[in-house]
Amino acid sequence: MKRLALSLACALAFVSYAACGDNGGNTNPPGGCNPACSEGKTCKDGKCITAQGLDAGDENADADIIIPVNHDAGGTVTPKPDAGEQACAAKSTKAQQLPLDMYLMLDKSGSMRIDRVAGGRTRWDAVTGALDTFFQASASGTSVALQYFPLQTGSFCDSGIPNACALDSDCAPCGTCASDYGGSTCSGGGLEVSCTTSDYATPAVEFAAMPGAAGQLSASIAAQKVVGSTPTSAGLQGAINHCKAWAAAHPDHVTIALLASDGDPTECNSDLSYINGIAASGASGSPKVLTFVIGVGAFLSNLNGIAAAGGTTKAYLVDTGGDVNAQLVAALNAIRGAALGCSYTIPLPASGTPDYTKVNVQYTPGGTTTAQILPQAASKAACPAGRDAWYYDNPSSPKQILLCDSTCNKVKTDTTGSVDVLLGCQTIIN
């Protein structure tokens, strides 16, 4: 995880308060200092403030910094001696990325058990092995909920729908596993697959924080019977429905749906435009839920359409002839980073609630101690071309600080830079 997203420096000016003036014993007139502050100090509220420059690597938090009131938006900020009323002391806190909540909808259709990847493992074993690794290594701040598709309703066997199998136990209560031209299927017919969205909107494991919940998730996976068809539409709709309800109750989190599958839909509504529409409704709705997709198998091109409609450009497709475990873990970590982007919490003041008109965002490029105050844009659509800026997720009721796309790209590639959130000075507007 990049240092700028998790460990952020106060790299502008660390100030300590001293008695007004350097000779002591003098009365401070309103708004000024008498005698005048000496070089290296600035006057603020009748007091001389000592500005001590800090190294960009210093990790002190909760320091006071000086913001020139009339400074140009987007420019650099350096404390100036004797700035008088043109300076404002703000409290700097470590910026924190938002918590990430990921609803994993995992394909457990029969082909996941039958088809194999490099090294002879089944797709199911490869995918779930990578998930175990991801669960155990996930940093705090990530929560995962889990459900599977297909889900079975009752024990009724529809003889018109054969299901792939590996063992007789895969077919219970629907006959035995018998050889067929295309592999093996259950002799008694297929299991009845649920197309009821609410079944998939109820997770097998509810959102739980990593890495503490890793054991619970792995145990749930180990207990699954991998058999059946691929009801992608019902699974995805259920995942998005649950994510929307969760996001509405947790507006200070980022909530996403993650679809992991080995191929095309075969059950319920298998029309690709319909499924893409489900993903699009999540990405464009309020609260917004993006759909990320991981594909492991031979017929994966259609998964790109689901990802694009879901607001995540394209699916993460795994080359089954390579190191599948490494590719899957890399994809999961990339999804976590892409989902969070440059989204930060709004720090709370020592008492009361934040004054959202007195919040500023400061970026210090790597290798420098010169900080930049980023101006605020009214919305994502108002982000200025060619200039750095940030905006609130909801101007009328802010829950998140978001960097504009071009600024976010710059910050994410600056592996030694830092970002701070400053409270107490009037927000600099773009």
Side-chain angles (χ1 to χ4, degrees), residues 291-294 303-317 335:
T291 296
F292 290 83
V293 182
I294 292 179
L303 296 180
N304 281 320
I306 299 174
T312 58
T313 308
K314 63 181 180 180
Y316 294 79
L317 304 181
I335 287 169

Side-chain angles (χ1 to χ4, degrees), residues 4-149:
L4 60 88
L6 296 177
S7 178
L8 304 166
C10 298
L12 179 57
F14 182 50
V15 299
S16 58
Y17 291 94
C20 183
D22 296 319
N23 298 325
N26 294 325
T27 302
N28 301 327
C33 290
N34 184 15
C37 297
S38 62
E39 183 71 20
K41 297 181 181 179
T42 188
C43 186
K44 171 62 179 161
D45 296 333
K47 296 180 180 180
C48 289
I49 299 172
T50 302
Q52 299 172 319
L54 282 186
D55 232 28
D58 195 307
E59 296 193 13
N60 287 308
D62 299 323
D64 288 325
I65 65 155
I66 301 169
I67 301 177
V69 173
N70 293 332
H71 128 82
D72 290 335
T76 57
V77 178
T78 51
K80 298 179 180 180
D82 308 319
E85 294 182 352
Q86 295 304 306
C88 170
K91 183 70 71 176
S92 174
T93 63
K94 290 183 179 181
Q96 298 291 331
Q97 279 191 310
L98 296 170
L100 174 65
D101 299 330
M102 176 189 300
Y103 192 128
L104 173 59
M105 184 58 63
L106 181 58
D107 186 347
K108 64 166 190 171
S109 61
S111 56
M112 291 283 285
R113 173 71 70 181
I114 300 301
D115 296 323
R116 299 185 178 272
V117 301
R121 291 188 302 162
T122 65
R123 293 174 184 170
W124 177 258
D125 289 338
V127 170
T128 57
L131 287 172
D132 285 340
T133 300
F134 175 73
F135 295 153
Q136 294 166 11
S138 290
S140 60
T142 299
S143 294
V144 176
L146 175 64
Q147 187 51 282
Y148 311 90
F149 67 112

Side-chain angles (χ1 to χ4, degrees), residues 150-157 190-196 199-200:
L151 294 178
Q152 177 191 357
T153 58
S155 60
F156 176 79
C157 297
L191 303 175
E192 184 182 14
V193 170
S194 172
C195 290
T196 303
D199 290 343
Y200 300 92

Side-chain angles (χ1 to χ4, degrees), residues 215-273:
Q216 182 184 7
L217 292 162
S218 295
S220 174
I221 289 172
Q224 296 307 305
K225 180 180 294 184
V226 186
V227 62
S229 52
T230 312
T232 306
S233 58
L236 180 58
Q237 185 69 74
I240 289 177
N241 287 356
H242 188 69
C243 284
K244 282 185 171 294
W246 184 268
H250 300 82
D252 53 347
H253 291 208
V254 173
T255 306
I256 65 169
L258 172 56
L259 180 73
S261 182
D262 72 342
D264 292 335
T266 62
E267 190 73 22
C268 304
N269 191 329
S270 59
D271 180 77
L272 291 171
S273 62

Side-chain angles (χ1 to χ4, degrees), residues 322-354:
D323 187 337
V324 174
N325 186 277
Q327 291 179 74
L328 284 166
V329 171
L332 289 162
N333 286 324
I335 287 169
R336 185 186 189 282
L340 287 176
C342 298
S343 306
Y344 302 101
T345 61
I346 302 171
L348 296 176
S351 62
T353 59

